[in-house]
Amino acid sequence: MAKKLLTLLFTSVLAFPLSTAVFAPEAGGQDNAAKEARWEGVIVRSSPNKSTLTVRKVGSALEKTIEYDSSTKWVSQEHGSKKVNDIDASQVKDNDRVICKGTYGKDGVLHATLISKRLSH
């Protein structure tokens, strides 16, 4: 009986690392997902010359600098609506509520791939 338990224990010790190696997701996929970011709030400063927005999180003093470029997609959407409208950067002003999605650079700045202007009813 003891020999069977020892064999079972030894087999499970060998099988567990092999199963995690086979069923574990690829490391590259985890890195990409970890780098995707989202920041939402109200625009407190915009600088079209520098292609940046400073966005303050609602109900907080936290601010983030959002950088955009020609590849950034600009949209507007009413709260609760499924209809999304394409817009351009000139239609986003200070005090507008926005949701920004993109990736953080080494400088801590969010490089936006999408900026969504939120419209009230």
Side-chain angles (χ1 to χ4, degrees):
M1 179 73 170
K3 189 174 183 180
K4 287 183 181 180
L5 286 175
L6 188 59
T7 304
L8 182 61
L9 177 66
F10 182 71
T11 304
S12 64
V13 168
L14 286 177
F16 180 72
L18 293 175
S19 66
T20 57
V22 170
F23 295 111
E26 293 181 26
Q30 288 177 341
D31 290 341
N32 289 339
K35 291 184 181 181
E36 292 178 355
R38 173 187 162 114
W39 187 261
E40 67 178 285
V42 176
I43 299 172
V44 292
R45 279 180 300 284
S46 57
S47 177
N49 297 337
K50 294 181 182 179
S51 298
T52 61
L53 303 172
T54 302
V55 179
R56 179 177 295 145
K57 189 168 273 222
V58 175
S60 172
L62 293 175
E63 294 181 355
K64 290 278 184 195
T65 301
I66 312 298
E67 206 169 70
Y68 58 89
D69 58 24
S70 61
S71 67
T72 302
K73 181 174 172 104
W74 297 82
V75 297
S76 67
Q77 185 175 11
E78 283 191 28
H79 180 76
S81 173
K82 293 184 179 185
K83 184 178 179 191
V84 179
N85 306 303
D86 288 330
I87 60 172
D88 60 39
S90 67
Q91 293 174 278
V92 176
K93 308 278 186 227
D94 289 357
N95 298 316
D96 283 343
R97 187 175 179 131
V98 293
I99 297 175
C100 306
K101 292 184 179 182
T103 56
Y104 282 106
K106 292 180 181 178
D107 53 1
V109 174
L110 178 65
H111 301 277
T113 55
L114 173 74
I115 297 177
S116 176
K117 177 180 176 180
R118 310 314 285 177
L119 304 172
S120 58
H121 293 289

Tab-separated table of all heavy atoms in Angstrom, residues 15-61:
chain	number	residue	atom	x	y	z
A	15	ALA	N	3.880	15.113	-13.053
A	15	ALA	CA	2.825	15.500	-13.993
A	15	ALA	C	2.419	16.961	-13.840
A	15	ALA	O	2.093	17.627	-14.823
A	15	ALA	CB	1.610	14.602	-13.814
A	16	PHE	N	2.413	17.504	-12.632
A	16	PHE	CA	1.954	18.878	-12.417
A	16	PHE	C	2.769	19.903	-13.205
A	16	PHE	O	2.191	20.723	-13.916
A	16	PHE	CB	1.947	19.209	-10.924
A	16	PHE	CG	1.472	20.604	-10.644
A	16	PHE	CD1	0.133	20.929	-10.796
A	16	PHE	CD2	2.354	21.593	-10.273
A	16	PHE	CE1	-0.323	22.213	-10.555
A	16	PHE	CE2	1.919	22.882	-10.032
A	16	PHE	CZ	0.584	23.190	-10.174
A	17	PRO	N	4.116	19.901	-13.140
A	17	PRO	CA	4.867	20.888	-13.931
A	17	PRO	C	4.649	20.732	-15.437
A	17	PRO	O	4.608	21.714	-16.168
A	17	PRO	CB	6.324	20.627	-13.561
A	17	PRO	CG	6.280	19.931	-12.249
A	17	PRO	CD	5.004	19.156	-12.250
A	18	LEU	N	4.485	19.510	-15.894
A	18	LEU	CA	4.243	19.301	-17.320
A	18	LEU	C	2.886	19.854	-17.731
A	18	LEU	O	2.756	20.466	-18.790
A	18	LEU	CB	4.330	17.815	-17.664
A	18	LEU	CG	5.720	17.179	-17.531
A	18	LEU	CD1	5.637	15.677	-17.773
A	18	LEU	CD2	6.700	17.824	-18.490
A	19	SER	N	1.867	19.675	-16.898
A	19	SER	CA	0.535	20.180	-17.246
A	19	SER	C	0.499	21.700	-17.245
A	19	SER	O	-0.166	22.310	-18.072
A	19	SER	CB	-0.523	19.621	-16.292
A	19	SER	OG	-0.305	20.119	-14.992
A	20	THR	N	1.208	22.361	-16.339
A	20	THR	CA	1.218	23.820	-16.334
A	20	THR	C	1.970	24.358	-17.538
A	20	THR	O	1.618	25.400	-18.071
A	20	THR	CB	1.831	24.383	-15.040
A	20	THR	OG1	3.144	23.868	-14.877
A	20	THR	CG2	0.974	24.059	-13.840
A	21	ALA	N	2.985	23.669	-17.980
A	21	ALA	CA	3.726	24.115	-19.166
A	21	ALA	C	2.869	23.973	-20.428
A	21	ALA	O	2.919	24.815	-21.323
A	21	ALA	CB	5.013	23.322	-19.322
A	22	VAL	N	2.058	22.942	-20.492
A	22	VAL	CA	1.232	22.704	-21.672
A	22	VAL	C	0.036	23.649	-21.712
A	22	VAL	O	-0.304	24.199	-22.744
A	22	VAL	CB	0.755	21.229	-21.703
A	22	VAL	CG1	-0.296	21.013	-22.773
A	22	VAL	CG2	1.936	20.305	-21.926
A	23	PHE	N	-0.619	23.888	-20.570
A	23	PHE	CA	-1.853	24.658	-20.535
A	23	PHE	C	-1.677	26.128	-20.176
A	23	PHE	O	-2.629	26.884	-20.203
A	23	PHE	CB	-2.849	24.019	-19.569
A	23	PHE	CG	-3.303	22.663	-20.020
A	23	PHE	CD1	-2.916	21.529	-19.331
A	23	PHE	CD2	-4.098	22.521	-21.146
A	23	PHE	CE1	-3.327	20.278	-19.759
A	23	PHE	CE2	-4.511	21.275	-21.575
A	23	PHE	CZ	-4.115	20.143	-20.876
A	24	ALA	N	-0.488	26.556	-19.852
A	24	ALA	CA	-0.255	27.956	-19.493
A	24	ALA	C	-0.318	28.828	-20.743
A	24	ALA	O	0.136	28.431	-21.813
A	24	ALA	CB	1.101	28.113	-18.824
A	25	PRO	N	-0.871	30.046	-20.646
A	25	PRO	CA	-0.890	30.946	-21.809
A	25	PRO	C	0.523	31.417	-22.133
A	25	PRO	O	1.405	31.408	-21.281
A	25	PRO	CB	-1.757	32.108	-21.349
A	25	PRO	CG	-1.781	32.036	-19.873
A	25	PRO	CD	-1.517	30.622	-19.492
A	26	GLU	N	0.687	31.828	-23.369
A	26	GLU	CA	1.996	32.312	-23.785
A	26	GLU	C	2.335	33.595	-23.046
A	26	GLU	O	1.483	34.442	-22.809
A	26	GLU	CB	2.005	32.587	-25.291
A	26	GLU	CG	1.863	31.330	-26.122
A	26	GLU	CD	1.900	31.632	-27.603
A	26	GLU	OE1	2.504	32.649	-27.983
A	26	GLU	OE2	1.340	30.859	-28.365
A	27	ALA	N	3.585	33.760	-22.707
A	27	ALA	CA	4.017	34.939	-21.957
A	27	ALA	C	3.814	36.214	-22.775
A	27	ALA	O	3.492	37.248	-22.242
A	27	ALA	CB	5.473	34.795	-21.546
A	28	GLY	N	3.985	36.163	-24.072
A	28	GLY	CA	3.826	37.340	-24.916
A	28	GLY	C	2.413	37.895	-24.872
A	28	GLY	O	2.202	39.089	-24.888
A	29	GLY	N	1.418	37.043	-24.792
A	29	GLY	CA	0.036	37.486	-24.718
A	29	GLY	C	-0.257	38.224	-23.428
A	29	GLY	O	-0.989	39.191	-23.405
A	30	GLN	N	0.343	37.780	-22.347
A	30	GLN	CA	0.129	38.449	-21.072
A	30	GLN	C	0.771	39.818	-21.078
A	30	GLN	O	0.230	40.764	-20.532
A	30	GLN	CB	0.715	37.621	-19.931
A	30	GLN	CG	-0.086	36.368	-19.632
A	30	GLN	CD	0.567	35.539	-18.549
A	30	GLN	OE1	1.745	35.680	-18.265
A	30	GLN	NE2	-0.211	34.654	-17.949
A	31	ASP	N	1.937	39.967	-21.666
A	31	ASP	CA	2.620	41.256	-21.699
A	31	ASP	C	1.807	42.290	-22.465
A	31	ASP	O	1.693	43.430	-22.050
A	31	ASP	CB	4.007	41.133	-22.334
A	31	ASP	CG	4.973	40.360	-21.441
A	31	ASP	OD1	4.696	40.249	-20.222
A	31	ASP	OD2	5.985	39.867	-21.954
A	32	ASN	N	1.228	41.902	-23.604
A	32	ASN	CA	0.449	42.843	-24.394
A	32	ASN	C	-0.797	43.288	-23.647
A	32	ASN	O	-1.154	44.460	-23.678
A	32	ASN	CB	0.056	42.209	-25.739
A	32	ASN	CG	1.243	42.060	-26.655
A	32	ASN	OD1	2.246	42.733	-26.490
A	32	ASN	ND2	1.138	41.157	-27.621
A	33	ALA	N	-1.464	42.360	-22.980
A	33	ALA	CA	-2.675	42.722	-22.247
A	33	ALA	C	-2.341	43.643	-21.081
A	33	ALA	O	-3.106	44.526	-20.743
A	33	ALA	CB	-3.381	41.469	-21.762
A	34	ALA	N	-1.199	43.440	-20.462
A	34	ALA	CA	-0.824	44.256	-19.313
A	34	ALA	C	-0.504	45.687	-19.727
A	34	ALA	O	-0.662	46.602	-18.938
A	34	ALA	CB	0.369	43.637	-18.602
A	35	LYS	N	-0.081	45.895	-20.946
A	35	LYS	CA	0.305	47.227	-21.402
A	35	LYS	C	-0.878	48.061	-21.884
A	35	LYS	O	-0.757	49.263	-22.007
A	35	LYS	CB	1.357	47.119	-22.504
A	35	LYS	CG	2.683	46.615	-21.985
A	35	LYS	CD	3.722	46.613	-23.069
A	35	LYS	CE	5.037	46.087	-22.544
A	35	LYS	NZ	6.071	46.098	-23.554
A	36	GLU	N	-2.014	47.423	-22.172
A	36	GLU	CA	-3.189	48.187	-22.592
A	36	GLU	C	-3.724	48.959	-21.389
A	36	GLU	O	-3.795	48.434	-20.288
A	36	GLU	CB	-4.262	47.259	-23.139
A	36	GLU	CG	-3.862	46.612	-24.434
A	36	GLU	CD	-4.911	45.656	-24.947
A	36	GLU	OE1	-5.916	45.423	-24.263
A	36	GLU	OE2	-4.707	45.134	-26.033
A	37	ALA	N	-4.083	50.218	-21.616
A	37	ALA	CA	-4.514	51.061	-20.500
A	37	ALA	C	-5.755	51.855	-20.881
A	37	ALA	O	-6.044	52.067	-22.051
A	37	ALA	CB	-3.389	52.004	-20.104
A	38	ARG	N	-6.445	52.320	-19.838
A	38	ARG	CA	-7.653	53.132	-20.021
A	38	ARG	C	-7.627	54.227	-18.968
A	38	ARG	O	-7.307	53.971	-17.801
A	38	ARG	CB	-8.878	52.246	-19.835
A	38	ARG	CG	-10.190	52.990	-19.827
A	38	ARG	CD	-11.311	52.029	-19.463
A	38	ARG	NE	-12.482	52.739	-19.033
A	38	ARG	CZ	-13.630	52.753	-19.686
A	38	ARG	NH1	-13.763	52.070	-20.792
A	38	ARG	NH2	-14.651	53.433	-19.225
A	39	TRP	N	-7.954	55.436	-19.356
A	39	TRP	CA	-8.040	56.562	-18.426
A	39	TRP	C	-9.240	57.385	-18.822
A	39	TRP	O	-9.421	57.705	-19.998
A	39	TRP	CB	-6.767	57.400	-18.490
A	39	TRP	CG	-6.735	58.462	-17.430
A	39	TRP	CD1	-7.057	59.774	-17.583
A	39	TRP	CD2	-6.366	58.297	-16.062
A	39	TRP	NE1	-6.909	60.434	-16.394
A	39	TRP	CE2	-6.490	59.552	-15.439
A	39	TRP	CE3	-5.954	57.213	-15.300
A	39	TRP	CZ2	-6.206	59.751	-14.094
A	39	TRP	CZ3	-5.671	57.409	-13.970
A	39	TRP	CH2	-5.796	58.664	-13.378
A	40	GLU	N	-10.073	57.718	-17.849
A	40	GLU	CA	-11.235	58.543	-18.160
A	40	GLU	C	-11.357	59.675	-17.166
A	40	GLU	O	-10.933	59.568	-16.022
A	40	GLU	CB	-12.521	57.725	-18.212
A	40	GLU	CG	-12.989	57.142	-16.921
A	40	GLU	CD	-14.294	56.393	-17.092
A	40	GLU	OE1	-15.346	57.051	-17.224
A	40	GLU	OE2	-14.254	55.153	-17.108
A	41	GLY	N	-11.918	60.768	-17.656
A	41	GLY	CA	-12.108	61.928	-16.811
A	41	GLY	C	-12.456	63.141	-17.647
A	41	GLY	O	-12.950	63.032	-18.768
A	42	VAL	N	-12.145	64.319	-17.084
A	42	VAL	CA	-12.472	65.595	-17.711
A	42	VAL	C	-11.186	66.268	-18.176
A	42	VAL	O	-10.191	66.300	-17.437
A	42	VAL	CB	-13.230	66.503	-16.718
A	42	VAL	CG1	-13.503	67.863	-17.309
A	42	VAL	CG2	-14.524	65.839	-16.288
A	43	ILE	N	-11.213	66.813	-19.377
A	43	ILE	CA	-10.037	67.508	-19.908
A	43	ILE	C	-9.875	68.826	-19.155
A	43	ILE	O	-10.787	69.651	-19.131
A	43	ILE	CB	-10.187	67.781	-21.419
A	43	ILE	CG1	-10.314	66.468	-22.181
A	43	ILE	CG2	-9.000	68.606	-21.931
A	43	ILE	CD1	-10.646	66.634	-23.650
A	44	VAL	N	-8.699	69.019	-18.529
A	44	VAL	CA	-8.433	70.270	-17.821
A	44	VAL	C	-7.525	71.183	-18.632
A	44	VAL	O	-7.547	72.398	-18.463
A	44	VAL	CB	-7.839	70.029	-16.409
A	44	VAL	CG1	-8.885	69.403	-15.503
A	44	VAL	CG2	-6.588	69.190	-16.461
A	45	ARG	N	-6.715	70.595	-19.518
A	45	ARG	CA	-5.855	71.368	-20.413
A	45	ARG	C	-5.675	70.597	-21.707
A	45	ARG	O	-5.523	69.393	-21.709
A	45	ARG	CB	-4.459	71.570	-19.796
A	45	ARG	CG	-4.362	72.680	-18.792
A	45	ARG	CD	-2.945	72.813	-18.241
A	45	ARG	NE	-2.455	71.609	-17.561
A	45	ARG	CZ	-2.810	71.214	-16.341
A	45	ARG	NH1	-3.707	71.898	-15.674
A	45	ARG	NH2	-2.293	70.144	-15.799
A	46	SER	N	-5.684	71.346	-22.802
A	46	SER	CA	-5.379	70.721	-24.089
A	46	SER	C	-4.307	71.550	-24.784
A	46	SER	O	-4.279	72.766	-24.663
A	46	SER	CB	-6.637	70.619	-24.960
A	46	SER	OG	-7.205	71.883	-25.153
A	47	SER	N	-3.435	70.857	-25.469
A	47	SER	CA	-2.364	71.520	-26.191
A	47	SER	C	-2.275	70.918	-27.600
A	47	SER	O	-1.557	69.936	-27.815
A	47	SER	CB	-1.040	71.352	-25.455
A	47	SER	OG	0.005	71.941	-26.198
A	48	PRO	N	-3.011	71.496	-28.552
A	48	PRO	CA	-2.960	70.973	-29.922
A	48	PRO	C	-1.553	71.031	-30.525
A	48	PRO	O	-1.192	70.170	-31.324
A	48	PRO	CB	-3.924	71.871	-30.688
A	48	PRO	CG	-4.807	72.482	-29.655
A	48	PRO	CD	-3.971	72.588	-28.415
A	49	ASN	N	-0.758	72.014	-30.134
A	49	ASN	CA	0.606	72.124	-30.667
A	49	ASN	C	1.482	70.956	-30.236
A	49	ASN	O	2.331	70.488	-30.996
A	49	ASN	CB	1.259	73.435	-30.215
A	49	ASN	CG	0.536	74.645	-30.746
A	49	ASN	OD1	-0.171	74.573	-31.758
A	49	ASN	ND2	0.676	75.765	-30.063
A	50	LYS	N	1.285	70.483	-28.999
A	50	LYS	CA	2.060	69.353	-28.479
A	50	LYS	C	1.319	68.027	-28.654
A	50	LYS	O	1.857	66.978	-28.307
A	50	LYS	CB	2.358	69.551	-26.989
A	50	LYS	CG	3.265	70.716	-26.693
A	50	LYS	CD	3.507	70.809	-25.201
A	50	LYS	CE	4.367	72.002	-24.845
A	50	LYS	NZ	4.574	72.110	-23.385
A	51	SER	N	0.082	68.073	-29.142
A	51	SER	CA	-0.770	66.885	-29.302
A	51	SER	C	-0.948	66.154	-27.974
A	51	SER	O	-0.764	64.940	-27.875
A	51	SER	CB	-0.204	65.941	-30.362
A	51	SER	OG	-0.169	66.577	-31.616
A	52	THR	N	-1.311	66.928	-26.934
A	52	THR	CA	-1.537	66.331	-25.625
A	52	THR	C	-2.826	66.866	-25.002
A	52	THR	O	-3.272	67.961	-25.308
A	52	THR	CB	-0.383	66.620	-24.644
A	52	THR	OG1	-0.271	68.028	-24.446
A	52	THR	CG2	0.926	66.038	-25.130
A	53	LEU	N	-3.383	66.045	-24.124
A	53	LEU	CA	-4.510	66.419	-23.284
A	53	LEU	C	-4.117	66.089	-21.850
A	53	LEU	O	-3.469	65.077	-21.608
A	53	LEU	CB	-5.762	65.604	-23.626
A	53	LEU	CG	-6.302	65.636	-25.039
A	53	LEU	CD1	-7.433	64.612	-25.194
A	53	LEU	CD2	-6.809	67.016	-25.373
A	54	THR	N	-4.511	66.931	-20.919
A	54	THR	CA	-4.367	66.591	-19.504
A	54	THR	C	-5.759	66.279	-18.995
A	54	THR	O	-6.660	67.116	-19.079
A	54	THR	CB	-3.748	67.755	-18.705
A	54	THR	OG1	-2.484	68.075	-19.288
A	54	THR	CG2	-3.544	67.372	-17.254
A	55	VAL	N	-5.946	65.051	-18.516
A	55	VAL	CA	-7.265	64.568	-18.128
A	55	VAL	C	-7.257	64.267	-16.629
A	55	VAL	O	-6.427	63.506	-16.144
A	55	VAL	CB	-7.649	63.305	-18.929
A	55	VAL	CG1	-9.013	62.782	-18.502
A	55	VAL	CG2	-7.635	63.598	-20.428
A	56	ARG	N	-8.218	64.888	-15.914
A	56	ARG	CA	-8.368	64.673	-14.473
A	56	ARG	C	-9.478	63.661	-14.238
A	56	ARG	O	-10.586	63.813	-14.741
A	56	ARG	CB	-8.709	65.971	-13.758
A	56	ARG	CG	-8.910	65.787	-12.240
A	56	ARG	CD	-9.182	67.089	-11.524
A	56	ARG	NE	-8.008	67.934	-11.622
A	56	ARG	CZ	-8.049	69.266	-11.730
A	56	ARG	NH1	-9.210	69.892	-11.763
A	56	ARG	NH2	-6.938	69.958	-11.811
A	57	LYS	N	-9.162	62.636	-13.446
A	57	LYS	CA	-10.149	61.620	-13.091
A	57	LYS	C	-11.276	62.282	-12.295
A	57	LYS	O	-11.020	63.096	-11.409
A	57	LYS	CB	-9.496	60.519	-12.264
A	57	LYS	CG	-10.387	59.329	-12.026
A	57	LYS	CD	-9.612	58.173	-11.459
A	57	LYS	CE	-9.055	57.403	-12.595
A	57	LYS	NZ	-9.096	56.002	-12.554
A	58	VAL	N	-12.515	61.944	-12.621
A	58	VAL	CA	-13.682	62.540	-11.967
A	58	VAL	C	-13.670	62.184	-10.481
A	58	VAL	O	-13.445	61.034	-10.110
A	58	VAL	CB	-14.991	62.050	-12.632
A	58	VAL	CG1	-16.208	62.566	-11.891
A	58	VAL	CG2	-15.038	62.476	-14.085
A	59	GLY	N	-13.890	63.198	-9.641
A	59	GLY	CA	-13.937	62.983	-8.200
A	59	GLY	C	-12.581	62.803	-7.562
A	59	GLY	O	-12.471	62.314	-6.445
A	60	SER	N	-11.528	63.190	-8.275
A	60	SER	CA	-10.175	62.987	-7.767
A	60	SER	C	-9.288	64.123	-8.249
A	60	SER	O	-9.642	64.877	-9.146
A	60	SER	CB	-9.639	61.651	-8.292
A	60	SER	OG	-8.286	61.491	-7.972
A	61	ALA	N	-8.114	64.223	-7.655
A	61	ALA	CA	-7.141	65.210	-8.109
A	61	ALA	C	-6.104	64.573	-9.041
A	61	ALA	O	-5.195	65.250	-9.512
A	61	ALA	CB	-6.433	65.831	-6.907
